[in-house]
Amino acid sequence: SRFNDGAKTGDISADMVIDKGCTFSILGHSERREFYNETNSLVSEKLRICLEKNILPVICIGESLEDYNAGKTLEVLDMQLKEIFTSISTKKTVVIAYEPVWAIGSGKTPTVNEVNNIHQHIKDIVQSIAEIEAISVIYGGSVNCENAKSFFQQTNIDGALIGGASLNGKDFLDIYYQGSKVLINEQDFFDLTWAYLLKSKEDNIVHTEIFFDPQSHTDRGIKFDLVINGIHRALLKGEK
């Protein structure tokens, strides 16, 4: 919600999600824009609340198929970025998810080079209109086991926002594994994985034996909820 508190029936405030252990929030998803009429101005208000409350914001932007075919992708993104980020100043990390509306759940994606260039453009625009010390730009829109690695290998793609593929535990773990090996050192990945799993066991989050074989990568003993909780840490560069 863009409101901190008060009688706002149906809204979920930042304090409410913090109470439940929330550490990040997706803002401006195309479905929120389409079905709930959320504007860039409203997304900007929610962004400020997230920064104030120490919630990692993941801001979604993207163009329609009509705009893409008309060659207006950058024009549309520039408008969204300027209306959301102008005058924002923070030393905290901000994540931007480039999600072409036409690619979400369709199985279609822009080319890897297109996405890489668009991500560089996004970073340049945001840095020119806002004072944000740490920006990560991730890609979302039909990311799957077959194409994930090609996206992660690009210089300007800092990770991925996984949608439909996250509903299948095996596929999601494969994407997690691919991204982690590309975005961080392989040994660091296994050290991080074990440290994360051991910490989870110490916190009594996991009550079963967990085994992960880095050589064969055939064991699926890692519980799905652990992968969900750890995905943004593994897929964003510099997060360990």
Side-chain angles (χ1 to χ4, degrees), residues 81-82 85-88 96 119-137 156 158:
L81 292 169
K82 289 176 181 178
F85 286 100
T86 295
S87 299
I88 292 288
I96 301 172
H119 279 211
Q120 181 61 62
H121 180 82
I122 290 171
K123 293 176 182 181
D124 291 342
I125 291 296
V126 174
Q127 289 170 346
S128 71
I129 61 176
E131 296 181 7
I132 302 175
E133 290 194 7
I135 303 171
S136 289
V137 182
N156 296 315
D158 300 323

Side-chain angles (χ1 to χ4, degrees), residues 21-204:
C22 172
T23 57
F24 65 94
S25 180
I26 297 175
L27 309 177
H29 191 278
S30 60
E31 291 166 5
R32 298 294 305 180
R33 294 173 184 268
E34 178 182 359
F35 299 118
Y36 299 95
N37 300 314
E38 290 198 359
T39 63
N40 294 320
S41 176
L42 180 57
V43 174
S44 184
E45 290 186 60
K46 290 185 175 185
L47 167 59
R48 295 174 189 273
I49 291 290
C50 282
L51 294 174
E52 177 186 333
K53 298 291 185 176
N54 293 316
I55 298 174
L56 175 69
V58 181
I59 299 97
C60 297
I61 60 172
E63 81 284 8
S64 67
L65 180 59
E66 181 181 2
D67 289 327
Y68 176 76
N69 288 335
K72 295 182 178 180
T73 294
L74 297 185
E75 179 182 336
V76 171
L77 297 183
D78 287 358
M79 177 191 68
Q80 293 174 338
L81 292 169
K82 289 176 181 178
E83 292 183 4
I84 294 171
F85 286 100
T86 295
S87 299
I88 292 288
S89 178
T90 182
K91 293 183 179 181
K92 299 171 183 175
T93 298
V94 172
V95 179
I96 301 172
Y98 169 53
E99 280 199 303
V101 178
W102 54 273
I104 300 174
S106 68
K108 301 177 181 178
T109 66
T111 68
V112 171
N113 286 336
E114 281 181 302
V115 175
N116 192 54
N117 292 334
I118 288 171
H119 279 211
Q120 181 61 62
H121 180 82
I122 290 171
K123 293 176 182 181
D124 291 342
I125 291 296
V126 174
Q127 289 170 346
S128 71
I129 61 176
E131 296 181 7
I132 302 175
E133 290 194 7
I135 303 171
S136 289
V137 182
I138 63 179
Y139 174 72
S142 294
V143 177
N144 54 46
C145 297
E146 286 69 41
N147 62 27
K149 185 175 181 179
S150 63
F151 284 117
F152 294 142
Q153 288 175 328
Q154 302 305 305
T155 305
N156 296 315
I157 299 178
D158 300 323
L161 186 62
I162 314 298
S166 68
L167 300 178
N168 181 302
K170 179 179 181 297
D171 290 347
F172 195 43
L173 184 56
D174 282 341
I175 295 172
Y176 170 86
Y177 178 73
Q178 290 180 46
S180 299
K181 287 188 68 177
V182 171
L183 297 179
I184 61 177
N185 175 275
E186 183 170 359
Q187 186 58 52
D188 286 343
F189 163 64
F190 292 120
D191 290 345
L192 171 65
T193 301
W194 275 108
Y196 186 80
L197 296 179
L198 291 173
K199 180 180 185 301
S200 297
K201 291 182 72 174
E202 290 170 0
D203 292 341
N204 295 319

